[in-house]
Amino acid sequence: MTTMYARLSTMMFLQFFIWGGWFVTLGTFLSSTLGASGGQVGRAFATQSWGAIIAPFVIGLIADRYFNAERILAVLHLVGAVLLYQLYWATDFSGFYPFVLAYMVVYMPTLALVNSVAFRQMRDPALEFSRIRVWGTVGWIVAGVVISFVFAWDSREAISAGGLRNTFLMAAVASLVLGLYSFTLPGTAPLKEQAVSSGIKQSLGLDALGLLKDRSYLVFFIASILICIPLAFYYQNANPFLAETGMTNPTAKMAIGQVSEVLFMLLLPLFIQRFGIKLALLVGMLAWALRYVLFAYGNNAELAFMLFTGIALHGICYDFFFVSGQIYTDAKAPKHLRSSAQGLITLATYGVGMLIGFWVAGQVTDHFVVEGGHDWKSIWLFPAGFALVVLVCFLLTFNGRQAVVAPSKA
């Protein structure tokens, strides 16, 4: 392992340790400690979408033009440490929401910034990036293990005592460390010629709107937005659901999903080469429906294996649809529009799609509140049925005759 490899891997580890350190348990914390409703929990999770919508402005108008990427990364994480510390002290939702919104507006641009720093130090990003990015997934997993097995903040007793509040303090410390560490990262100056020709229009993906004239891509684009509604249910409700069923160490056990994500990421190129992009996308959508059926009918007793299977399906759910979608987008877009096309699909999914999804998840969750908890069976069957409807519509309208055999390296 070279020194540069170790430095970039450490950056990725901390970047996703911070996010995984509080985001997974956010729904449980809000409902149990702050007494938030499902709608309020949905609003808190939707700050991720607002951050994703605003992030291109930060990157396209500021970072790409005037400042070194590592410096703005450092400043954003230092500001983020202060905001996370404020979340640690919040006593009600009205005091919590402004700070979580501000934090996600600050954090989401850093996802692109760490990629920029990493890519600029690589000779062959297609071969090298995955070996560095995987440490981000490791960081997310380690955060869950620390919460569950080191401090047990997600035990029933700790949740009742407000122990999940400490996740924000842990993330604040990690954000402070990454902020200071970022000043030591290799200098990543703006590419002047690229900044002049790209900027906010390319970052938002507006250059690539012409792709929507292609019927197949339009169908895929709409399906990508719609499938974000089932995705939002997982992010918002999985941890509260597992905690409410009495599962011990639910946060660490949810990290099984990240392990699955790594494994299926390795299998995805082989699957696409053998079976094509349409089947990969269909398998991803089917996995969402299957996962929620397992959640609906599983329990924390003799049917606990159904819950674990549902968690482990995360790799198929995410990789086979969203990563396949990025590959499909790269293949459909002309070379000069590939960056814009990726910006467009990111804005559509993590921005618009997730924003709608978290609102829907909040409304459905509130509708099925019962005495002593939630009617989880009814809650999970909603996104299961929704995913199946999207799958059938996609199957009937998407033209998959154009082959996509592998990610483009151009």
Side-chain angles (χ1 to χ4, degrees):
M1 178 184 294
T2 65
T3 301
M4 182 60 66
Y5 178 89
R7 292 169 68 189
L8 296 176
S9 297
T10 300
M11 174 189 71
M12 285 293 183
F13 178 92
L14 290 170
Q15 174 74 22
F16 288 90
F17 178 90
I18 294 167
W19 198 3
W22 66 275
F23 195 73
V24 175
T25 57
L26 176 61
T28 304
F29 168 77
L30 289 173
S31 58
S32 62
T33 305
L34 300 190
S37 67
Q40 289 175 322
V41 174
R43 285 178 58 201
F45 274 97
T47 59
Q48 170 191 276
S49 300
W50 290 117
I53 292 170
I54 295 172
F57 290 90
V58 177
I59 302 303
L61 291 180
I62 301 176
D64 279 351
R65 294 171 180 265
Y66 304 113
F67 300 101
N68 279 22
E70 83 282 358
R71 293 176 186 172
I72 193 168
L73 178 68
V75 171
L76 290 177
H77 275 300
L78 291 175
V79 173
V82 175
L83 293 171
L84 285 166
Y85 187 66
Q86 295 301 315
L87 293 175
Y88 169 72
W89 286 108
T91 56
D92 54 35
F93 185 79
S94 62
F96 181 91
Y97 181 77
F99 288 110
V100 74
L101 175 60
Y103 178 74
M104 291 309 285
V105 169
V106 166
Y107 180 83
M108 293 306 287
T110 66
L111 296 173
L113 288 169
V114 293
N115 289 344
S116 295
V117 172
F119 279 128
R120 292 281 291 278
Q121 310 309 316
M122 298 176 188
R123 294 183 178 179
D124 189 350
L127 293 177
E128 299 174 61
F129 181 70
S130 61
R131 289 181 288 175
I132 291 173
R133 174 58 182 82
V134 73
W135 285 99
T137 302
V138 172
W140 186 291
I141 293 170
V142 169
V145 171
V146 169
I147 291 170
S148 288
F149 293 122
V150 177
F151 297 112
W153 289 330
D154 59 351
S155 67
R156 279 196 164 185
E157 298 76 14
I159 290 174
S160 299
L164 286 176
R165 184 182 301 278
N166 295 307
T167 60
F168 299 102
L169 185 59
M170 178 182 72
V173 172
S175 188
L176 175 63
V177 171
L178 181 52
L180 296 175
Y181 178 73
S182 295
F183 284 115
T184 73
L185 292 169
T188 310
L191 295 176
K192 299 296 184 182
E193 67 279 6
Q194 178 178 327
V196 171
S197 63
S198 59
I200 191 63
K201 189 175 181 181
Q202 185 185 75
S203 298
L204 287 173
L206 300 181
D207 288 343
L209 285 174
L211 288 175
L212 301 183
K213 295 178 182 178
D214 182 288
R215 181 176 177 273
S216 292
Y217 193 79
L218 178 62
V219 169
F220 160 74
F221 186 81
I222 295 172
S224 296
I225 295 175
L226 293 177
I227 208 66
C228 283
I229 294 176
L231 173 61
F233 273 80
Y234 182 74
Y235 283 154
Q236 180 171 323
N237 287 333
N239 192 264
F241 162 66
L242 296 175
E244 203 169 291
T245 60
M247 180 178 287
T248 58
N249 310 121
T251 310
K253 290 172 181 175
M254 283 183 65
I256 295 171
Q258 275 61 53
V259 175
S260 165
E261 184 180 332
V262 173
L263 295 176
F264 283 105
M265 188 79 74
L266 299 175
L267 293 174
L268 181 60
L270 300 175
F271 185 94
I272 292 176
Q273 186 174 24
R274 178 69 176 83
F275 298 105
I277 197 72
K278 182 175 183 178
L279 187 57
L281 294 168
L282 288 170
V283 168
M285 287 185 278
L286 181 61
W288 282 110
L290 177 58
R291 148 183 273 181
Y292 292 136
V293 169
L294 291 169
F295 281 177
Y297 292 99
N299 58 46
N300 195 37
E302 68 278 1
L303 298 179
F305 74 93
M306 296 176 70
L307 304 185
F308 287 113
T309 303
I311 295 171
L313 280 172
H314 184 72
I316 300 178
C317 291
Y318 186 83
D319 293 342
F320 274 62
F321 190 87
F322 290 98
V323 177
S324 292
Q326 292 167 358
I327 294 171
Y328 177 62
T329 296
D330 183 78
K332 292 289 288 186
K335 184 176 180 180
H336 69 286
L337 290 179
R338 284 173 183 166
S339 294
S340 290
Q342 295 295 343
L344 179 64
I345 197 64
T346 298
L347 182 67
T349 52
Y350 282 97
V352 177
M354 294 295 284
L355 193 63
I356 297 170
F358 285 127
W359 181 83
V360 172
Q363 298 304 307
V364 171
T365 303
D366 275 343
H367 183 75
F368 290 108
V369 171
V370 297
E371 185 176 350
H374 299 82
D375 177 4
W376 287 111
K377 178 180 177 181
S378 298
I379 291 173
W380 291 127
L381 287 178
F382 181 92
F386 193 94
L388 279 177
V389 171
V390 176
L391 183 152
V392 171
C393 292
F394 183 83
L395 176 64
L396 296 176
T397 57
F398 180 78
N399 182 353
R401 286 179 293 180
Q402 291 177 316
V404 179
V405 297
S408 171
K409 295 181 181 179

